[in-house]
Amino acid sequence: MSRSPLKVGVVGAGIGRHHLAGYRTLPDDVEIVALCDTNEARLNEIGSMYNVPRYFTDYNELFASGEIEAVSVCLPNSLHAPVSIAALEAGLHVLCEKPLAENLASGQKIAAVAAQASGKFMICFNRRYRLDVQWMKQALSEGLLGRVYHVKAGWVRETGIPGWGGWFLNKDIAGGGPLIDLGVHMLDAVMWLLDYPEPLTVTGAIQANFGPRSAKTWQVSPTPPPYTVEDSATAYIRLSGDVTLNLETSWASHARPGMDDFFITLMGTEGTLELYVANYATENTLTLYTEVGGKPVVTRPAVKVSRSDHEYAIAEFVKCIKEDTPPTASAEQGLTIMQMIEAIYQSAAVGREVVLT
Ligand SMILES: NC(=O)c1ccc[n+]([C@@H]2O[C@H](COP(=O)([O-])OP(=O)(O)OC[C@H]3O[C@@H](n4cnc5c(N)ncnc54)[C@H](O)[C@@H]3O)[C@@H](O)[C@H]2O)c1
């Protein structure tokens, strides 16, 4: 176990501020050295907020500086591959934001380099580290649910198209809409809970009912910006082990005002376990349905989420570097999720099931 503080940098000062906040909770193990962003106003604002000593506007200069050992890549999706690969090739450990990349091909490039690199590569699938999701994993490992045969999962927003006018709405940069933005979290959490079974077949459908007409957005602009992604997606996926998965995601829909909820329901032969997180709730998110003596029993496990998901993910990344263990959220897992996402888009385009094996 390495005792000297790990020197870290963050590239991208949007969600990157949550990475800075996460690293800041580990003062004995981490030294925050640098922040990089092409937007100098943002760089200065966020850098001073977290007392970051060194600022860069060019990530190549940061990677060549020799000043950091690990980096968080918090950039638009199509930059995940070039920047993560540059960092790995510079010998750095990399924590890359989700999704792995904007598409499967770029994700494959990262995975190929990560497999040969001296540095560790971890993907920031932060939802799986929530304490309530971790508790679900424990319930599964203790056999509380018997055999899981069906899963319902999703993330549904009423008004929540992000980054109006920016890269989130651009298919070439983002790779897609709520499926790759929100669905990616739920797909990873479900797959992780089930020990990453093999995806076998995928049926998907996408819609863009609100974004193109600037409806149900957080911001309003007089001229609708280009909108080339979906604003809702659904999928039915068969997994190895005779498990099926229903997925639902949306950035915009007619629903409870302000709704921004994610959920995972694991249906098993001995019990059903439901996670329902309404508007980022941190308690009362779990319900277990079982039967005792032939009578239905409903239990509310008293699990409280006490830290942000990013804090958990960052603590995990630092731990795997310090203890020299494989990253728990690996490039291979990120690639499996990209394969599922790409199959959903492909199925939506051709209007029928896509067979993956
Ligand atoms: N895990 C989560 O919960 C979570 C939440 C939000 C976003 N994300 C992911 O984080 C990534 C970034 O999203 P965001 O919301 O922060 O986007 P954002 O647009 O708010 O921030 C991206 C930042 O990157 C900077 N940037 C762009 N190109 C750059 C370059 N070449 N070099 C340096 N800086 C550059 C921009 O100036 C901007 O400040 C995305 O992949 C997104 O999916 C993850």
Side-chain angles (χ1 to χ4, degrees):
M1 163 119 66
S2 162
R3 296 217 163 269
S4 55
L6 182 74
K7 293 180 166 49
V8 302
V10 172
V11 184
I15 199 67
R17 71 195 71 183
H18 290 263
H19 287 243
L20 291 169
Y23 288 124
R24 199 166 63 171
T25 64
L26 305 166
D28 295 340
D29 291 324
V30 171
E31 181 185 343
I32 298 174
V33 171
L35 178 63
C36 171
D37 201 297
T38 45
N39 178 336
E40 290 195 47
R42 212 177 203 189
L43 179 63
N44 290 324
E45 182 201 337
I46 304 303
S48 62
M49 199 181 286
Y50 289 91
N51 294 320
V52 182
R54 295 275 285 126
Y55 295 173
F56 290 80
T57 51
D58 179 340
Y59 63 82
N60 282 309
E61 274 179 32
L62 167 63
F63 299 165
S65 69
E67 295 185 37
I68 59 169
E69 299 161 275
V71 66
S72 280
V73 175
C74 305
L75 296 174
N77 301 347
S78 62
L79 288 172
H80 290 186
V83 179
S84 294
I85 289 170
L88 288 168
E89 287 178 347
L92 303 176
H93 305 291
V94 176
L95 176 61
C96 177
E97 264 299 347
K98 54 49 72 171
L100 180 61
E102 80 283 16
N103 58 36
L104 183 60
S106 294
Q108 281 164 334
K109 288 182 192 156
I110 299 182
V113 174
Q116 303 298 323
S118 57
K120 297 184 190 292
F121 178 88
M122 180 170 140
I123 182 156
C124 190
F125 281 143
N126 48 337
R127 303 296 167 210
R128 69 156 87 160
Y129 298 106
R130 286 178 61 98
L131 279 194
D132 42 17
V133 180
Q134 295 277 327
W135 189 88
M136 293 174 89
K137 182 80 168 169
Q138 188 172 344
L140 282 171
S141 68
E142 291 184 12
L144 237 56
L145 307 187
R147 188 185 76 78
V148 173
Y149 56 89
H150 183 60
V151 183
K152 296 182 272 192
W155 193 326
V156 175
R157 285 185 183 157
E158 184 254 350
T159 295
I161 301 176
W164 195 238
W167 66 267
F168 274 101
L169 315 187
N170 182 325
K171 175 91 178 164
D172 291 337
I173 302 175
L179 173 61
I180 200 164
D181 179 40
L182 306 176
V184 69
H185 282 298
M186 295 299 102
L187 284 173
D188 170 67
V190 168
M191 292 289 281
W192 174 73
L193 285 167
L194 300 178
D195 295 330
Y196 261 82
E198 197 183 351
L200 303 176
T201 67
V202 172
T203 301
I206 59 170
Q207 301 273 333
N209 294 313
F210 300 94
R213 58 185 166 114
S214 301
K216 290 197 173 287
T217 66
W218 280 322
Q219 294 131 296
V220 176
S221 47
T223 325
Y227 190 96
T228 54
V229 295
E230 82 281 1
D231 54 27
S232 70
T234 49
Y236 179 76
I237 301 170
R238 283 192 183 80
L239 302 167
S240 60
D242 200 15
V243 189
T244 50
L245 164 63
N246 265 346
L247 179 75
E248 181 189 356
T249 66
S250 77
W251 276 343
S253 56
H254 292 293
R256 192 185 80 237
M259 178 175 183
D260 189 351
D261 299 358
F262 58 86
F263 56 90
I264 298 172
T265 303
L266 303 172
M267 304 183 70
T269 51
E270 307 306 315
T272 287
L273 180 55
E274 184 180 88
L275 170 85
Y276 195 93
V277 180
N279 296 84
Y280 299 93
T282 52
E283 50 192 320
N284 299 320
T285 54
L286 292 166
T287 311
L288 174 65
Y289 300 91
T290 49
E291 216 177 58
V292 175
K295 304 283 181 218
V297 175
V298 182
T299 314
R300 304 299 303 272
V303 180
K304 195 169 174 338
V305 175
S306 52
R307 296 169 67 189
S308 83
D309 310 351
H310 271 103
E311 284 178 27
Y312 288 119
I314 282 158
E316 178 74 16
F317 175 59
V318 170
K319 182 166 167 271
C320 88
I321 295 169
K322 291 260 164 190
E323 297 183 358
D324 195 16
T325 52
T328 40
S330 65
E332 289 71 28
Q333 292 178 343
L335 207 52
T336 301
I337 300 300
M338 287 312 303
Q339 192 187 19
M340 296 167 84
I341 288 172
E342 194 138 304
I344 294 170
Y345 285 132
Q346 196 190 342
S347 168
V350 298
R352 60 188 140 77
E353 184 178 73
V354 168
V355 178
L356 289 173
T357 49

